[in-house]
Structure formats: structure tokens, C-alpha cells
Amino acid sequence: MSEAETLDARQETPTLVVVCGLPGVGKTTVAEQVAERLDGLLLRTDVIRKEILSDPDYTEEESRMVYRELFDRARRTVEDGRSVVLDGTFKDAADRDRATELSASLGVDFRLVAVECDEDVVRERIERREGDESDADFEVHAMYREQFDPISMDHVTVDNSEGLDETTRQVAETF
């Protein structure tokens, strides 16, 4: 097989990507760009939560329900032959591990992208949010910062502090 054929075959193999990070860091901005570059389906925990829960209380049980549905949809998408990008905090290492296990069971590549952003920028962005699916405010950001399990697996970090052009450059270098 020639190098070009190998590249074509690799591009046809679905990839499962997790875009994780604290609320307000710009995960969705990064996830949208990754999904576009992979021609993949974007699945957001914020959207799924509102689809399956009429009045979410953001309990641990609700979070388990949302992630269960997220993984079910991801499995179906990959089984249909399409790449999928999962956008959520993934603050629990167990959820990140579950994503790697899912990709291994499906025989597809797995990529983890951690999105970071300066806190002052996060605070400003959260205050400006309008019409976004996320209900997280800066208090939730601070609480999740304390609860976020360290990332111990291979990953790429995108710093979303500088603006869209710089974020786009970083995503393009990775995907």
C-alpha cells in the first residue's frame, strides 16, 4: 500500500475524540473545530442534558445518565462509520477512561484534548454568554476546578485564552 493509500485509509477510519475542561474555558469552540476537521459528529453533554432532563438539578445521578447517553450515542455514531467528538467537562478520570475503553472496543483511534483558559478570560466569557446550552456560571467553574481529576493519559492541551485565531491555529496543528 502506498503512503497516499495509507493516509486515505487512516482518514476513513473513525476517531473518537474527547474535548474536556472546566466550564467556560471554550470546550465547545474547540470541539466544533475538531468535529469540522474530522467531518465528525459533535455530541455535547449540555445539549444531551437538556434533551433528556426537563428540569436538570445537576446531581451525580443526572450526570451519570447524561454520560451514559453520551457514550451510547458515540457508540452508534462510530458503528455507523463516522468520527465523533464528545464535548463535556469529563472532570472524572473514570469517564475519560470509559471513553478510551469504548474506542478500544470499537477498534478506533482515541484522542483527548484538554482545553485550558486564563481565569480572567473565563469569568468574562461566562458573563457574556447568551443563548448557550450551558448553565454553568463562574461558581460552577470554581467548584469543578476543585473536583477535576488530574489527567494522567496522553493528551493535547489547547490554550483558549488568546482568541479564536490562536485557538484555530492550535487545533489545526493537532488535527
Side-chain angles (χ1 to χ4, degrees):
M1 189 181 289
S2 73
E3 186 177 331
E5 289 170 327
T6 302
L7 182 59
D8 286 345
R10 197 169 49 229
Q11 290 171 340
E12 291 172 12
T13 303
T15 301
L16 190 153
V17 179
V18 166
V19 177
C20 72
L22 298 173
V25 297
K27 293 181 300 296
T28 300
T29 298
V30 171
E32 288 171 344
Q33 291 186 20
V34 171
E36 184 176 321
R37 294 186 73 79
L38 295 177
D39 191 28
L41 178 66
L42 173 60
L43 297 174
R44 298 179 57 203
T45 55
D46 289 330
V47 173
I48 291 171
R49 179 177 293 105
K50 292 192 175 177
E51 288 175 2
I52 66 174
L53 299 165
S54 58
D55 187 22
D57 292 320
Y58 296 85
T59 64
E60 284 299 316
E61 178 56 32
E62 286 181 358
S63 181
R64 282 190 291 276
M65 289 171 55
V66 168
Y67 276 87
R68 190 167 38 250
E69 179 66 21
L70 177 76
F71 286 119
D72 287 346
R73 292 182 188 188
R75 174 181 292 283
R76 290 192 304 270
T77 301
V78 171
E79 288 175 342
D80 287 343
R82 189 164 183 205
S83 292
V84 65
V85 179
L86 308 181
D87 169 3
T89 60
F90 282 84
K91 68 180 178 64
D92 297 328
D95 288 325
R96 298 189 296 266
D97 291 341
R98 188 172 168 196
T100 61
E101 292 164 7
L102 176 61
S103 65
S105 74
L106 294 167
V108 298
D109 289 337
F110 174 78
R111 303 286 303 272
L112 178 64
V113 179
V115 182
E116 297 178 351
C117 188
D118 292 337
E119 279 202 9
D120 291 341
V121 176
V122 170
R123 186 183 302 273
E124 180 183 315
R125 286 180 182 161
I126 287 175
E127 288 173 3
R128 288 193 325 232
R129 275 186 181 165
E130 286 184 32
D132 185 77
E133 295 292 335
S134 177
D135 294 327
D137 58 15
F138 194 77
E139 236 176 76
V140 173
H141 169 89
M143 179 181 68
Y144 274 35
R145 185 179 58 239
E146 300 300 318
Q147 298 173 351
F148 200 97
D149 292 338
I151 299 175
S152 59
M153 62 179 64
D154 286 343
H155 67 283
V156 174
T157 300
V158 172
D159 184 338
N160 193 24
S161 302
E162 296 298 320
L164 190 57
D165 288 342
E166 175 57 21
T167 298
T168 301
R169 184 193 66 73
Q170 292 175 64
V171 171
E173 283 181 358
T174 305
F175 290 93

